[in-house]
Amino acid sequence: WSHSARKERAEREHEVATRIRIPSVQTIDDLMVEKCQPGDVILFDRRCECCAAGFSAALGCLLGKTILCDEEDGTRSVERGSYEHCGVVVPGLSDAPGAQHDPSNLCLLEATSGNGIVCRPLLTRLEMSRSRSVMLLPLSCPGEHRQQDVITGL
């Protein structure tokens, strides 16, 4: 199991690294990153069998699903919200003017079982994900305009 998960992860890394981006063509991941802003939370409904970080990652995933996301009535995880992993969107390292709100400069801060708390480029993290579903929870109060709306004049 672990060997096949690592092999699949390496193949996915190669696929993401060698992907050819066509101008004006966006993936679902690109669209999601455009909507993200620092402070937003991203939830993951992971597939425990795809945890390539090792036994402790898979065990943590299984325990999280068992304890936090028990689905006794047969409802789907999207309906119940069986998201056992999360990350917080943070600004990237670029100091260029306006880079704080540039979607390509956003990172995801998350806890991992083997490497502690890590910060990864958001788009790469979403492209590498093998989760069943990923949900964006924007950080805003009711009636509050998000920075993107203010910038575009909406």
Side-chain angles (χ1 to χ4, degrees):
W1 155 80
S2 179
H3 175 71
S4 65
R6 285 189 186 122
K7 182 180 176 186
E8 183 180 323
R9 164 80 53 93
E11 290 171 358
R12 182 76 175 161
E13 282 177 3
H14 178 72
E15 177 188 326
V16 168
T18 59
R19 179 173 290 155
I20 297 173
R21 299 220 178 253
I22 301 169
S24 301
V25 175
Q26 294 182 305
T27 64
I28 296 295
D29 296 327
D30 294 324
L31 294 172
M32 183 177 227
V33 169
E34 278 187 3
K35 298 293 182 190
C36 290
Q37 291 184 14
D40 291 348
V41 176
I42 297 182
L43 302 176
F44 296 88
D45 178 11
R46 298 182 299 173
R47 298 181 207 189
C48 299
E49 69 274 9
C50 293
C51 288
F55 177 75
S56 61
L59 181 62
C61 180
L62 288 170
L63 286 175
K65 291 235 182 249
T66 303
I67 295 169
L68 300 173
C69 312
D70 193 17
E71 299 177 9
E72 295 176 2
D73 60 353
T75 57
R76 295 181 320 161
S77 64
V78 174
E79 295 167 351
R80 281 282 299 261
S82 68
Y83 300 94
E84 83 296 332
H85 182 72
C86 69
V88 177
V89 177
V90 296
L93 300 175
S94 177
D95 292 333
Q100 181 179 9
H101 298 291
D102 180 13
S104 64
N105 187 45
L106 295 176
C107 293
L108 189 68
L109 189 66
E110 61 184 332
T112 62
S113 61
N115 298 328
I117 297 174
V118 296
C119 186
R120 299 180 175 131
L122 180 58
L123 181 60
T124 304
R125 174 61 178 92
L126 291 174
E127 289 175 334
M128 288 296 300
S129 177
R130 290 297 202 192
S131 297
R132 284 184 187 88
S133 58
V134 177
M135 184 186 328
L136 169 64
L137 297 176
L139 179 66
S140 61
C141 297
E144 177 185 4
H145 292 286
R146 295 195 28 112
Q147 184 66 25
Q148 185 177 13
D149 295 340
V150 173
I151 291 171
T152 59
L154 295 176

